[in-house]
Amino acid sequence: MKPSRLIPLMIALALVATACGGSGTTTTAGSTGTTGSMQADLLGAGASFPAPIYQEWIGAYQSVEPGVSINYQSIGSGGGVEQFIGQQTDFGASDAFLKDDEIAAAQAARGCDPIHIPTVFGAVSIAYNVEGLDSLTLSGPVLADIFVGTITNWNDPAIAALNSGVTMPDEDIVVAHRSDGSGTTSIFTTYLSSVSDAWKNGPGVGKEVEWPAPNSVGGEKNDGVTAQIQQNPGAVGYIELSYAMENNVPVAKMINDDGNAIEPTLESTAAAADGITIPDDLRFNILNVGGEGYPIAGATWLLAWSCGYDQAKADALKAWITWDLQNGDDLARELLYSPLPDSLQEKALAKVDLINSEG
Amino acid sequence: MTSSEGSRALRDPPRAKGSGVAAADSLSGRRRGRLSADATFRLILGLAGASVLLILATMLISTTIQAWPVFRHEGWSFITSSVWDPGTSRTEVTGQYGALAFIVGTLVTSLIALVIAVPLAVAVALYITQAAPRKVAGPLTYTIEMLAAVPSVVFGLWGLLFFVPKVLRPIMNLVESTLGSFIPFLSGPIVTYNYFAAGVVLAFMVLPIIMAVTREVMANTPETEIAAAYGLGATRWEMMRHVVLPRARPGIIGATMLGLGRALGETIAVAMLIGGSQQIPSSLFRGGQSMAGIIAVTFQEAAPENVKALVGVGVLLFVITVIVNMAARLIVWMTGGYLAKEQNL
């Protein structure tokens, strides 16, 4: 019995050995070219919002560089930044750029600068649940007043004025928000603060803030907020655009700085990112959007170091991120992320070159 | 003294006594021969016991140390304020951390759960042990105890997508429209996920544990006393009321406290159904947040100072659980004593 059971195992082992040998030879052969030559293990952790596209890019990159193995753990931006600064990962990922005190801590920890590389954009859509209301237009100040709690009924004249020709019902507004800390909340509150002093001086900006509206409910993650919106008549809340599109949730048009009412789409998100001025360190918020741009949007970043990698890791990391930025746009659109506009892609690629530039 | 007598009488049915004595005799006979083995065994058991205390002490001390900057920054307002506005600093405490809303959320939802689950569990246990035909009692026990094996996230999901919006919301609407105008804590406007919804689903989750213990205690009612009650002409209801229930009372209270312990610490299902708002609502039909809930949902994106505050909430939850457990022991001890005294008369 025993030997007969061993034979298939031995054959299998032999096959695996040949297969390994085979790939080994192709690797050596490929080392003269530009692809298939690298060997490195990269570990990254951070934001959950871009995790699906990062996983997709990592999977696709496997066929380009089989020797590079990348492990991305979606543990949240907060943990991602902590582990990045704590040197537990090779690269980090965050929905919010590092604040000045985080940069100082990072510099102290590694002795060189952290690098911000924006990868994709996401938009935050305003979803609502009002019976018989097929289309809704809101402006930034009105949206802020709803979330501050000064507008509490759908028939408020301020809402009616933006929706002429539509009869707004006499119904209490239920404000739905994220109950967990979230980059989506950060983008949303950054926008509200930029359009409303009452919001700026009240709850302010953050991944988690106080929600002053009297009739407010919270949900965990996008699906929790969506459940809150769908189960509470009169509800309005904010969710990631990709989530709203996948689940066919009705969303409001937002009036941007040029006075245009813009529906949230991948195109209008890309348009928002195209028209803004971006600082040299690529730490930016998307604010004061005009033209055809949808006004509530934000970027997500990969974080890397300008020193301290061994050469193989640095080469692999640079090659992977470069590949993502140059070849990953279609995959990003498929997963309902908005890729970087060309002008910004150039700047992002220049940042990739800085990885390990200080040795 | 009296309480231990009472509980021993509860545990040992008279007919088991003879065999128990025999077993004890044979054990002591063995012990005389192998004293060193016995001592070693006792030492190992002692170490096992000590390790539990050590783990507990380490947990409490290390979490308290970690949360200390927040405790120092907030002082008493950590438990008296309901302003929870996390900061983002890495090194100092810049936000405001008042956990009162979460304390209220945990206590109120647990209370709702007990108010629903305890009477139901006692009724079911009475039915199973005293009234149900054997063919029904077995499967029923088994089914209810199976509820305990359902992961809490499944309860949460079921509540989120089906039970609360489809079943509970119409009931809440009815209660609010009939009683809401004169009972303030049942007034509207209703939001679908709220204290009440979390409390009801929590009741289903603590029901099996309360039921199992209560059933066990009731099943141990001495048959001689039951026979005596019938002999005195008691009806089945009178027998339950005067024999089974008084005997089971300390057990029911103990079971309730076990259930309360589970309810206080339950995290995901409550976080999914309690409404996720950081306010203290004026009505059971409004949203809030629980202590375990706020830790679970905000931990992932929390800045270092915020993490310290969440650890502080954990310490607080631990302290409240200890207080509840001590209160439970006290109540069981007091009622147990009362029962024993009653028997002596």
Side-chain angles (χ1 to χ4, degrees):
Chain A
M1 280 304 277
K2 264 193 178 167
S4 72
R5 213 188 291 159
L6 273 176
I7 290 168
L9 185 69
M10 284 157 73
I11 294 174
L13 275 176
L15 280 174
V16 169
T18 351
C20 287
S23 75
T25 44
T26 47
T27 308
T28 355
S31 69
T32 49
T34 51
T35 60
S37 57
M38 289 190 234
Q39 290 287 341
D41 281 333
L42 296 173
L43 176 64
S48 50
F49 160 67
I53 184 61
Y54 290 170
Q55 303 291 12
E56 197 75 9
W57 282 344
I58 289 167
Y61 193 65
Q62 275 293 299
S63 57
V64 182
E65 287 286 351
V68 176
S69 130
I70 306 168
N71 180 1
Y72 180 73
Q73 294 168 348
S74 145
I75 60 168
S77 298
V81 168
E82 274 315 292
Q83 296 203 356
F84 175 73
I85 294 176
Q87 323 273 313
Q88 288 147 296
T89 53
D90 299 314
F91 65 94
S94 176
D95 294 340
F97 52 77
L98 298 184
K99 296 184 302 297
D100 289 343
D101 70 328
E102 287 170 330
I103 288 193
Q107 285 166 334
R110 184 111 161 183
C112 63
D113 289 329
I115 300 167
H116 288 77
I117 303 155
T119 51
V120 289
F121 290 100
V124 176
S125 56
I126 307 303
Y128 62 93
N129 172 14
V130 181
E131 214 178 318
L133 196 63
D134 300 327
S135 117
L136 176 68
T137 304
L138 293 171
S139 68
V142 168
L143 185 66
D145 284 348
I146 291 174
F147 274 80
V148 164
T150 46
I151 294 178
T152 56
N153 196 299
W154 283 105
N155 67 6
D156 193 283
I159 301 177
L162 297 171
N163 294 275
S164 52
V166 184
T167 342
M168 301 302 293
D170 174 12
E171 189 169 3
D172 282 332
I173 298 178
V174 176
V175 165
H177 58 78
R178 291 282 287 260
S179 62
D180 53 330
S182 162
T184 310
T185 303
S186 178
I187 294 172
F188 182 66
T189 52
T190 303
Y191 171 72
L192 290 186
S193 288
S194 75
V195 294
S196 156
D197 283 339
W199 187 270
K200 191 176 176 184
N201 301 326
V205 175
K207 289 175 184 171
E208 192 193 342
V209 297
E210 286 271 302
W211 300 97
N215 223 355
S216 62
V217 295
E220 200 189 344
K221 308 226 184 291
N222 284 299
D223 45 356
V225 177
T226 307
Q228 288 282 20
I229 295 169
Q230 287 172 337
Q231 301 302 344
N232 284 302
V236 61
Y238 60 95
I239 51 180
E240 277 163 24
L241 171 61
S242 57
Y243 197 86
M245 288 168 81
E246 277 164 5
N247 293 280
N248 275 324
V249 185
V251 294
K253 288 182 187 140
M254 290 299 303
I255 294 177
N256 69 14
D257 267 25
D258 287 349
N260 301 326
I262 307 289
E263 191 159 342
T265 59
L266 290 186
E267 293 73 38
S268 61
T269 310
D274 214 2
I276 56 167
T277 47
I278 289 171
D280 286 341
D281 57 7
L282 303 192
R283 298 192 293 159
F284 61 95
N285 291 313
I286 302 178
L287 293 172
N288 307 319
V289 172
E292 293 303 308
Y294 179 76
I296 320 175
T300 184
W301 289 265
L302 283 174
L303 304 170
W305 296 99
S306 55
C307 72
Y309 294 104
D310 63 50
Q311 200 56 43
K313 270 194 180 176
D315 288 346
L317 187 58
K318 284 162 84 166
W320 173 58
I321 301 177
T322 305
W323 185 90
D324 294 344
L325 294 175
Q326 290 178 335
N327 306 68
D329 287 5
D330 289 338
L331 281 176
R333 279 191 207 94
E334 254 172 56
L335 294 182
L336 305 173
Y337 296 91
S338 183
L340 303 186
D342 292 343
S343 56
L344 185 55
Q345 186 179 322
E346 287 303 312
K347 289 180 182 167
L349 287 170
K351 289 289 175 193
V352 175
D353 279 341
L354 293 179
I355 293 176
N356 215 28
S357 59
E358 294 173 36
Chain B
M1 279 299 282
T2 46
S3 78
S4 70
E5 270 168 30
S7 59
R8 193 185 303 147
L10 259 178
R11 262 187 251 122
D12 294 346
R15 57 188 144 79
K17 233 172 202 168
S19 61
V21 169
D25 280 345
S26 73
L27 267 179
S28 60
R30 264 188 189 173
R31 198 174 56 191
R32 260 177 243 126
R34 303 181 187 173
L35 259 178
S36 63
D38 193 55
T40 317
F41 189 54
R42 189 182 297 170
L43 184 72
I44 292 172
L45 290 189
L47 284 177
S51 73
V52 174
L53 289 180
L54 196 70
I55 292 169
L56 216 62
T58 317
M59 259 183 79
L60 189 59
I61 293 169
S62 63
T63 48
T64 307
I65 290 173
Q66 226 181 342
W68 192 250
V70 173
F71 288 156
R72 206 181 45 201
H73 181 258
E74 291 294 333
W76 286 110
S77 67
F78 190 70
I79 51 174
T80 56
S81 153
S82 61
V83 178
W84 185 267
D85 187 11
T88 55
S89 168
R90 294 178 48 79
T91 46
E92 39 197 332
V93 179
T94 58
Q96 278 179 286
Y97 303 97
L100 183 63
F102 314 136
I103 300 172
V104 172
T106 294
L107 293 180
V108 171
T109 50
S110 300
L111 194 70
I112 296 171
L114 289 187
V115 165
I116 296 170
V118 171
L120 194 59
V122 170
V124 172
L126 263 184
Y127 175 70
I128 287 175
T129 57
Q130 310 299 332
R134 198 155 290 210
K135 268 187 193 159
V136 180
L140 189 60
T141 311
Y142 185 68
T143 313
I144 293 176
E145 281 170 7
M146 234 164 51
L147 269 185
V150 177
S152 61
V153 67
V154 175
F155 271 108
L157 212 54
W158 170 73
L160 190 72
L161 300 178
F162 172 76
F163 180 72
V164 175
K166 301 286 187 298
V167 180
L168 215 50
R169 178 77 204 237
I171 297 174
M172 291 192 281
N173 286 344
L174 186 73
V175 171
E176 192 267 330
S177 61
T178 51
L179 305 173
S181 51
F182 53 93
I183 303 179
F185 64 83
L186 295 179
S187 62
I190 302 175
V191 298
T192 301
Y193 305 105
N194 52 36
Y195 273 18
F196 184 70
V200 171
V201 173
L202 204 49
F204 299 148
M205 301 175 68
V206 300
L207 181 68
I209 195 169
I210 301 178
M211 205 284 298
V213 176
T214 308
R215 188 186 61 87
E216 203 61 40
V217 175
M218 286 179 175
N220 278 336
T221 313
E223 279 175 29
T224 46
E225 290 192 20
I226 295 175
Y230 283 136
L232 290 171
T235 62
R236 180 173 271 189
W237 159 240
E238 283 167 338
M239 182 277 291
M240 287 186 205
R241 200 177 114 86
H242 293 292
V243 177
V244 179
L245 279 179
R247 278 237 169 249
R249 193 166 48 200
I252 294 172
I253 293 168
T256 305
M257 292 304 159
L258 273 179
L260 180 57
R262 164 114 209 245
L264 289 174
E266 174 49 43
T267 308
I268 290 303
V270 173
M272 287 165 94
L273 300 173
I274 197 171
S277 161
Q278 297 177 349
Q279 301 163 347
I280 300 177
S282 53
S283 153
L284 295 184
F285 297 143
R286 308 290 290 270
Q289 183 63 281
S290 73
M291 297 167 81
I294 188 76
I295 298 175
V297 301
T298 64
F299 173 72
Q300 209 178 37
E301 292 288 338
E305 63 159 299
N306 192 358
V307 171
K308 290 190 184 95
L310 292 175
V311 171
V313 174
V315 173
L316 208 57
L317 187 56
F318 186 81
V319 169
I320 288 180
T321 313
V322 168
I323 292 174
V324 164
N325 270 312
M326 276 162 52
R329 297 223 155 257
L330 198 69
I331 294 173
V332 172
W333 180 72
M334 279 165 58
T335 52
Y338 175 73
L339 184 75
K341 216 183 284 172
E342 214 175 39
Q343 278 178 316
N344 288 344
L345 282 174

